[in-house]
Amino acid sequence: MIWELVLKKACDKMKKYSGLIVALLICIVIAVAGFYLYSLRITEFVFSGNTLRYSDEELKNLIFTTDIECNPVYAMFVDKHDKEIPFIAKYEIDVEWPDKANVTVYGKDIIGYVYYKDFYIYFDKDGIVVELSNELLDDVILMEGLEFGQMVLYQKLPTKREESFSLILSLTKMIKKNEIDVDKVVFDSELNMTIYRDNIKVVLGKDEYLDEKLTKVKVLLPSLEGYSGVLNLENYREGNDNFWFRQNSE
């Protein structure tokens, strides 16, 4: 009888200690796994999408700003990918376990800018202000002559001529299509257009036959390189070479 009690107590103690040992082993496994996961770091970054405004290294420093953000677990389950980056609308991170991140960048749709109070005000095709910056972008055209009210980020540029934005969109598309380098576009009160390229002033007039006019500009500009003057295509029509060039007097 006594031996049975001793044996029972021994078995109870073994069960108690074995439970503690199992619990301790589980804790150790969890701790080791946690430390392992925490110590992982993304070492390869691949950027795609609209990345022309930034180098890969610049994007890496803008998106992965702290050491923990380079952790694949954090990047997959914690990071909300909501940093505000100039000229970037959003970005997405796809982690290839354990040390590679594929980052897709979506740039803001900018078609032009105006200069106001020492700031470059960039806007999209709908006239929405998408960026206020002191950084001048090389591939965006300056728009002058349009009157705007107070300019507020992410709000539409207030203007009396709503049709001006669709006109700007059409014009910039045709300029890009014809691969013309333009310094600025100037509008008058009737939305007549004049574009400037180096020392050449190109009068386009109304938006009638705009594609034909810009196609002609593309042909003529190389022959005018080194000159200074006015190229007037206001009355130009396809098949009707009604244009003139007046050289500035030196």
Side-chain angles (χ1 to χ4, degrees):
M1 194 68 155
I2 295 175
W3 287 108
E4 290 179 358
L5 289 173
V6 172
L7 184 59
K8 185 175 181 301
K9 287 182 179 182
C11 290
D12 290 341
K13 285 185 178 181
M14 288 180 64
K15 288 179 181 180
K16 179 180 178 181
Y17 287 126
S18 62
L20 290 173
I21 292 172
V22 170
L24 181 60
L25 288 174
I26 292 174
C27 289
I28 292 173
V29 170
I30 292 174
V32 171
F35 178 78
Y36 168 74
L37 293 174
Y38 178 79
S39 64
L40 289 174
R41 290 295 179 268
I42 298 170
T43 57
E44 183 179 357
F45 301 87
V46 179
F47 295 93
S48 61
N50 192 339
T51 61
L52 298 178
R53 305 206 187 283
Y54 297 101
S55 67
D56 287 358
E57 186 64 24
E58 287 173 329
L59 283 171
K60 175 180 173 294
N61 293 333
L62 287 167
I63 295 173
F64 300 91
T65 55
T66 63
D67 183 61
I68 190 61
E69 289 176 336
C70 293
N71 180 278
V73 179
Y74 184 91
M76 291 173 67
F77 302 110
V78 181
D79 194 353
K80 296 181 180 179
H81 309 159
D82 57 358
K83 288 188 177 69
E84 291 189 7
I85 301 174
F87 309 109
I88 301 298
K90 65 175 183 177
Y91 58 93
E92 297 174 350
I93 301 175
D94 179 32
V95 176
E96 286 188 28
W97 192 265
D99 58 0
K100 181 179 179 181
N102 297 304
V103 184
T104 304
V105 177
Y106 301 90
K108 292 179 178 177
D109 184 18
I110 298 172
I111 66 166
Y113 77 94
V114 295
Y115 187 69
Y116 182 72
K117 291 186 176 180
D118 298 327
F119 279 95
Y120 302 105
I121 315 296
Y122 297 93
F123 57 90
D124 66 10
K125 61 183 179 63
D126 298 314
I128 305 297
V129 177
V130 296
E131 200 68 51
L132 283 78
S133 175
N134 54 14
E135 178 186 354
L136 177 60
L137 303 180
D138 293 333
D139 56 345
V140 183
I141 302 173
L142 171 64
M143 304 292 169
E144 291 185 348
L146 299 173
E147 295 185 4
F148 300 108
Q150 185 176 4
M151 304 177 196
V152 180
L153 188 62
Y154 306 131
Q155 293 186 17
K156 191 166 186 175
L157 286 169
T159 177
K160 296 178 181 178
R161 306 295 296 268
E162 288 293 327
E163 66 271 27
S164 60
F165 297 118
S166 59
L167 179 57
I168 290 172
L169 178 60
S170 298
L171 178 61
T172 52
K173 281 184 175 179
M174 293 177 194
I175 287 173
K176 290 181 179 179
K177 171 187 170 184
N178 288 284
E179 299 178 336
I180 303 171
D181 291 329
V182 173
D183 299 323
K184 68 178 179 179
V185 178
V186 177
F187 296 87
D188 67 11
S189 59
E190 299 300 320
L191 295 183
N192 291 296
M193 294 166 286
T194 301
I195 63 176
Y196 290 79
R197 156 79 181 275
D198 295 331
N199 295 318
I200 302 296
K201 173 183 176 181
V202 182
V203 179
L204 298 175
K206 296 290 185 182
D207 63 340
E208 302 171 332
Y209 304 99
L210 191 55
D211 197 10
E212 290 83 358
K213 292 175 183 177
L214 288 171
T215 300
K216 191 66 175 179
V217 171
K218 179 182 180 180
V219 173
L220 292 173
L221 279 181
S223 63
L224 296 175
E225 188 173 350
Y227 287 88
S228 175
V230 178
L231 174 63
N232 191 307
L233 291 98
E234 188 172 6
N235 298 314
Y236 177 81
R237 305 289 184 269
E238 187 176 14
N240 176 16
D241 284 354
N242 189 1
F243 70 92
W244 51 264
F245 175 73
R246 182 177 68 243
Q247 186 174 357
N248 293 336
S249 57
E250 296 182 0

